């Protein structure tokens, strides 16, 4: 159980105006903000939704931010992510798309607390049913990152991608989500690399040298062009390891095959996500730097330009927007 | 460690002419044959390649068929499958395609034995390199099932499918394999159903009622038409479970979603395997009845006719063909 923070900094309790929290499946991060939405304190823990019962959230939050709190209260806490799931603290029902991203706080729910120092708002996720699109989909947490885009550009229009275990692609029109798709890319990669027959061939995946980047990019292009070959190219990786005399030896061999597997998985995602999109507008990547760079490499290879917004900055900006809307 | 057989039947040792063995990763099956290639004894065990060291194969074989053997020897044992892999008993190097299926015994290797009652031949698998096709691929064991087709029809020409954990599709031209592809379909299904986020939604997959068959067939058609949507439709299954009010309740719910997942995985395989094939000739399915019926349902849905050959009969017929070729 980790806890990091700046709890010792003097003056926090004097300046603290509200608290922003991104409470995911496997961890939570909290920011203390002043009246200008400037971060004056930070803390995090590994008590994500998967490890907490509904009646344990309040105590965990107080443990984490208790030192920040002034004696006069209560302090608003704006929470996004899995804490608002049905199996979380209290369900904040999905808002159906299309939904304006500056209106998320309209779907917030407030759990009943035992103490009186905090007033908690759990933001909702977004849902898409077959009446709105070709397939069912849900997001919870990512909508707040998307709201971060809208905080700067209220009428943002464009295609956005949030890489990850369950990568999300969302189309924004004038500040509203009009459609989205989730791709199991990260989870698919992990299962195949660690638990399938391919585990005998896959090494560590860093894209560190030229051979790896080349294997990655050519796999992306291959599957982007012919997504129907995905399943056979997976086994082909194993066969290549057995047969291909031109593969390098040692650790580089596993790294090249890992890069190829990553390229196959991301190529399949791109085939689904952006095949029919115009190439004249950049795709907005929201996420951590390493993964966003990998996606930029893949997207550039198939003719798309990208822009990058840091995922942590985006979620904090989205929580600020939601808090301002609540107070307006 | 299981062993079944008819070892007590009198007269086996008098009639036994040779022994056929299908020695796979997780089990082996042995048949005792008379001079007319009629089965007069059968035995099996769970001592597959994955559980044996190279110097343990001979003892396991003797344990299984020792009672069948006449005092005068030695008796030929024709073995196909993973016993001939590099990590098996002794490597029988892959034969590169194109290879005539009645010539497999030309690549057989004979391990040195400690006893003198047996003479073992390990049949080779087939390999495909980039000089012969668009991708690397290997098979070991399935080539002998394909040889079973050729035993009846020496110049067999057509498209064949061997469903399974690693489904194989092979194009045969005048009794030779001219190209093949392996699809990770069965393994992909198992990983997704049991170890991904989808495990919360997936029930038992039996295709027993109309709703399941309908979900299966429509998923096949959906991915066959648009394979690029595969990864997003996977997550869509989870979202459908959360959002779709029309899904049945109880066990049927999980069964319908399992059928849909199976349809997505098989649909992706069919998109790769038979999109550009003529529909005027049936596809030959070689395998067990339940899986072959599932594939027939999928193939019929996208306009293909099928024929079915039992997988056990095929491998035995292939081993007989290889033994006859050896003795010719």
């Amino acid at each position: 159980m980790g806890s990091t923070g700046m709890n010792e900094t003097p003056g926090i309790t004097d300046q603290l105006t509200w608290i922003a929290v991104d409470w995911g499946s496997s961890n939570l991060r909290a920011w203390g903000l002043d009246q200008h939405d400037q971060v004056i304190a930070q803390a995090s823990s590994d008590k994500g939704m998967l490890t907490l019962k509904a009646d344990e959230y309040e105590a965990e939050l107080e443990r984490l931010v208790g030192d920040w709190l002034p004696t006069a209260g209560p302090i608003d806490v704006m929470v996004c992510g899995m804490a608002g799931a049905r199996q979380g603290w209290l369900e904040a029902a999905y808002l159906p798309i299309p939904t304006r991203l500056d209106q998320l706080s309209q779907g917030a729910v407030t759990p009943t607390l035992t103490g009186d120092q905090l007033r908690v708002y759990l933001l909702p996720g977004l849902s898409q049913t077959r009446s709105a699109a070709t397939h069912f989909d849900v997001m919870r947490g990512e909508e707040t990152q998307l709201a971060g885009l809208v905080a700067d550009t209220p009428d943002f229009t464009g295609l956005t991608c949030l890489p990850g275990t369950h990568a999300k692609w969302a189309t924004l029109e004038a500040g509203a989500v009009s459609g989205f798709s989730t791709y199991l890319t990260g989870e698919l990669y992990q299962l195949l690399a660690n638990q399938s027959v391919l585990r005998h061939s896959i090494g560590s995946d860093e894209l560190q040298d030229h051979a790896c980047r080349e294997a990655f990019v050519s796999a992306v292009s291959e599957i982007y062009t012919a997504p129907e070959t995905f399943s056979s190219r997976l086994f082909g990786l194993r066969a290549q390891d057995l047969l291909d005399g031109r593969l390098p030896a040692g650790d580089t061999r596993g790294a090249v095959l890992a890069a190829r597997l990553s390229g196959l998985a991301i190529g399949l995602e791109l085939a689904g996500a952006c095949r029919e999109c115009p190439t004249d507008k950049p795709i907005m990547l929201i996420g951590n730097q390493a993964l966003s760079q990998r996606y930029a490499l893949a997207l550039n290879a198939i003719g798309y330009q990208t822009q990058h917004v840091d995922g942590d900055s985006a979620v904090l900006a989205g929580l600020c927007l939601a808090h301002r809307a609540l107070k307006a």
Side-chain angles (χ1 to χ4, degrees), chain A residues 223-234:
Chain A
I223 295 300
Y224 182 73
T225 311
E228 69 276 9
T229 63
F230 178 72
S231 170
S232 67
R233 292 307 178 269
L234 292 179

Side-chain angles (χ1 to χ4, degrees), chain A residues 72-132:
Chain A
I75 287 284
D76 288 345
V77 183
M78 186 63 64
V79 181
C80 71
M82 296 304 286
R86 197 176 302 171
Q87 64 275 42
W89 190 346
L90 175 68
E91 183 177 13
Y94 294 110
L95 296 179
I97 62 157
T99 293
R100 282 194 61 86
L101 288 163
D102 55 11
Q103 305 292 311
L104 292 176
S105 58
Q106 291 187 4
V109 299
T110 54
T112 305
L113 305 184
T114 56
D116 57 7
Q117 285 190 289
L118 301 173
R119 186 166 45 210
V120 171
Y121 299 89
L122 302 174
L123 289 172
L126 299 182
S127 66
Q128 170 176 284
T129 61
R130 284 226 182 102
S131 59

Side-chain angles (χ1 to χ4, degrees), chain A residues 159 169 278-285 295-296 299-308:
Chain A
L159 185 57
W169 285 72
T279 53
D280 60 344
K281 231 188 137 179
I283 291 168
M284 186 65 74
L285 292 168
Y295 270 65
L299 282 160
N300 294 344
I302 58 168
Y304 288 88
Q305 299 305 308
T306 60
Q307 292 183 336
H308 177 227

Side-chain angles (χ1 to χ4, degrees), chain A residues 5-328:
Chain A
M6 307 186 292
N7 302 4
E8 307 305 318
T9 313
I12 291 180
T13 56
D14 299 334
Q15 299 171 51
L16 188 82
T17 305
W18 67 286
I19 294 169
V21 178
D22 180 7
W23 208 318
S25 295
S26 51
N27 58 53
L28 75 150
R29 288 166 312 155
W31 296 270
L33 298 117
D34 69 12
Q35 57 179 337
H36 306 295
D37 288 349
Q38 294 299 305
V39 175
I40 55 172
Q42 270 183 277
S44 65
S45 102
D46 60 0
K47 292 289 183 189
M49 179 270 282
L50 294 174
T51 60
L52 291 173
K53 298 198 189 88
D55 60 5
E56 297 172 338
Y57 282 81
E58 183 180 353
E60 174 60 16
L61 188 57
E62 281 183 351
R63 190 186 69 78
L64 209 61
V65 307
D67 292 349
W68 305 348
L69 303 178
T71 45
I75 287 284
D76 288 345
V77 183
M78 186 63 64
V79 181
C80 71
M82 296 304 286
R86 197 176 302 171
Q87 64 275 42
W89 190 346
L90 175 68
E91 183 177 13
Y94 294 110
L95 296 179
I97 62 157
T99 293
R100 282 194 61 86
L101 288 163
D102 55 11
Q103 305 292 311
L104 292 176
S105 58
Q106 291 187 4
V109 299
T110 54
T112 305
L113 305 184
T114 56
D116 57 7
Q117 285 190 289
L118 301 173
R119 186 166 45 210
V120 171
Y121 299 89
L122 302 174
L123 289 172
L126 299 182
S127 66
Q128 170 176 284
T129 61
R130 284 226 182 102
S131 59
T134 54
H135 66 287
F136 292 97
D137 217 320
V138 291
M139 65 167 70
R140 195 177 280 284
E142 294 89 352
E143 73 296 325
T144 306
Q145 292 184 288
L146 293 171
L149 278 187
V150 171
D152 285 340
T153 317
D155 288 324
F156 184 92
T157 294
L159 185 57
T160 61
C161 167
L162 297 85
T165 304
H166 298 161
K168 307 277 180 187
W169 285 72
T171 302
L172 269 59
E173 290 177 17
V177 174
S178 59
F180 65 99
S181 289
T182 304
Y183 294 81
L184 219 62
T185 309
E187 186 159 17
L188 210 47
Y189 177 88
Q190 291 298 336
L191 288 171
L192 290 165
N194 300 324
Q195 305 198 51
S196 81
V197 67
L198 306 186
R199 69 185 185 280
H200 304 297
S201 299
I202 301 298
S204 83
D205 179 27
E206 303 292 346
L207 292 194
Q208 272 177 342
D209 63 23
H210 179 70
C212 290
R213 282 192 295 277
E214 193 176 76
F216 172 76
V217 163
S218 78
V220 167
S221 300
E222 197 177 320
I223 295 300
Y224 182 73
T225 311
E228 69 276 9
T229 63
F230 178 72
S231 170
S232 67
R233 292 307 178 269
L234 292 179
F235 188 83
L237 265 176
R238 178 71 186 138
Q240 186 180 4
D241 189 20
L242 296 171
L243 300 176
D244 189 358
R246 288 168 309 175
L247 273 179
D251 288 348
T252 311
R253 187 186 192 88
V256 163
L257 291 171
R260 180 163 165 81
L261 177 58
S262 174
L264 295 176
I266 291 176
L268 184 64
E269 176 183 334
L270 301 191
C274 58
R275 264 182 136 184
E276 286 162 24
C277 299
T279 53
D280 60 344
K281 231 188 137 179
I283 291 168
M284 186 65 74
L285 292 168
I286 307 175
N288 73 50
Q289 184 149 359
L291 203 50
S292 296
Q293 279 180 346
R294 181 179 293 251
Y295 270 65
L297 190 62
L299 282 160
N300 294 344
I302 58 168
Y304 288 88
Q305 299 305 308
T306 60
Q307 292 183 336
H308 177 227
V309 172
D310 176 64
D312 289 353
S313 308
V315 79
L316 186 55
L319 287 163
C320 288
L321 180 69
H323 188 246
R324 285 197 298 274
L326 195 74
K327 297 284 121 181

